[in-house]
Amino acid sequence: MEFSSARHVAATLAAAEPGGLPFYAQQAGEVALFEHAFHQRLPLLIKGPTGCGKTRFVEHMAARLGRPLVTVSCHDDLSAADLVGRHLIGDGNTVWNDGPLTRAVRSGAICYLDEVVEARKDTTVVLHPLADDRRVLPIERTGELLVAPPGFMLVISYNPGYQNLLKSLKPSTRQRFVALTFGYPTPTVERQIVTSEAGVSAEVAAQLVQLAEALRRLTDHDLEETVSTRLLVMAGRLVASGLPLATACRAAIVDALTDDADTAAALAEVVSAVVPD
């Protein structure tokens, strides 16, 4: 099952909502979908580009549902033992040490695996029994079979823009998850985010968002990723600390997006056109 739309976007602000929840600006019913998936004990897959609010959304939902959150940043050296656990030797004894996935199951937490496609394929297989109707975690080294309590939820995310033959989810993994597709915020919401998180004026925020829209329209440059909301906030913070806007944009956006001199020059031209020195 997949929940998506052309304008489905995530948006976040630094300030906390009343009650201490991490602030999150809902735009396409994703909060309700997350809640339904949680109550129906369904795992959730979140797809979206870098810096669009995936992690903040999960943090918000964990707090909203009153569940502890265990977050794992996946990488290509992440092994199944890193997730599940391993025996450690200390004081002459061998002691079992739970990994983050096992701790989440035992405590009934939400377990969030960020950029799951970065993990080795043999690692993601351990998720299968947790992501289907069984909701169990076999621990072969201890002989345990942990049954996930009702409060446990498995959430994974990845950036579709980085997918290739070597880094993609197997269909047998994907089809165990309800899916949400995120994109960058609408201009109105993105201006609000930049104003709040960076502490800049509405005018500066509007210029940064206008720049982002212009850069995101570029299609003839070899960029792995376009400008994210996170980069806009970083540029805004430099401006708030006293750096000129154009200089901040080149440092936090242009040079962060590419190392290629020709591409950087082309991006800098867009900056000059939108954000005059």
Side-chain angles (χ1 to χ4, degrees):
M1 177 188 296
E2 182 165 333
F3 180 93
S4 63
S5 70
R7 296 303 296 173
H8 183 132
V9 294
T12 62
L13 300 177
E17 292 180 348
L21 294 181
F23 191 96
Y24 178 79
Q26 180 182 193
Q27 296 205 22
E30 64 274 16
V31 168
L33 180 61
F34 192 110
E35 290 178 335
H36 281 284
F38 174 79
H39 292 302
Q40 291 300 316
R41 304 179 189 178
L42 297 172
L44 182 67
L45 162 63
I46 304 174
K47 302 179 290 182
T50 298
C52 70
K54 299 187 295 293
T55 298
R56 179 66 69 84
F57 173 61
V58 177
E59 292 172 346
H60 171 85
M61 292 308 303
R64 185 186 186 100
L65 293 167
R67 305 309 307 159
L69 176 64
V70 176
T71 299
V72 179
S73 296
C74 298
H75 53 81
D76 54 11
D77 288 328
L78 186 73
S79 68
D82 292 327
L83 283 179
V84 177
R86 52 169 53 89
H87 284 102
L88 301 177
I89 299 176
D91 296 327
N93 297 317
T94 301
V95 180
W96 173 258
N97 184 59
D98 283 343
L101 180 61
T102 304
R103 292 196 300 271
V105 174
R106 290 193 196 279
S107 62
I110 293 175
C111 184
Y112 175 47
L113 304 182
D114 187 22
E115 296 297 343
V116 70
V117 295
E118 297 295 328
R120 297 184 337 211
K121 288 186 181 294
D122 60 335
T123 301
T124 56
V125 173
V126 304
L127 304 178
H128 287 186
L130 278 172
D132 58 28
D133 289 342
R134 291 171 289 176
R135 282 176 56 91
V136 297
L137 177 63
I139 306 178
E140 295 181 4
R141 296 186 181 183
T142 65
E144 290 182 89
L145 183 65
L146 295 183
V147 178
F152 172 80
M153 183 178 186
L154 180 61
V155 182
I156 64 176
S157 73
Y158 73 92
N159 183 345
Y162 291 157
Q163 277 204 102
N164 55 45
L165 292 177
L166 297 177
K167 290 188 175 181
S168 61
L169 281 180
K170 293 180 178 180
S172 59
T173 302
R174 291 176 60 100
Q175 293 182 25
R176 283 173 159 82
F177 290 80
V178 173
L180 275 170
T181 299
F182 280 15
Y184 293 121
T186 60
T188 300
V189 174
E190 196 162 42
R191 288 193 294 270
Q192 184 184 9
I193 292 169
V194 175
T195 301
S196 177
E197 291 201 350
V200 295
S201 66
E203 180 182 359
V204 170
Q207 287 180 292
L208 287 169
V209 172
Q210 182 183 358
L211 173 61
E213 291 184 278
L215 292 175
R216 290 167 186 164
R217 286 194 294 266
L218 295 179
T219 58
D220 55 349
H221 295 288
D222 187 20
L223 291 173
E224 287 189 357
E225 194 66 81
T226 189
V227 57
S228 67
T229 305
R230 181 186 297 134
L231 290 183
L232 298 184
V233 171
M234 291 169 62
R237 287 177 175 170
L238 291 177
V239 173
S241 69
L243 202 65
L245 179 57
T247 304
C249 290
R250 294 189 180 101
I253 298 175
V254 173
D255 291 339
L257 287 175
T258 183
D259 294 324
D260 181 77
D262 291 338
T263 302
L267 298 182
E269 289 183 7
V270 177
V271 172
S272 297
V274 177
V275 183
D277 290 319

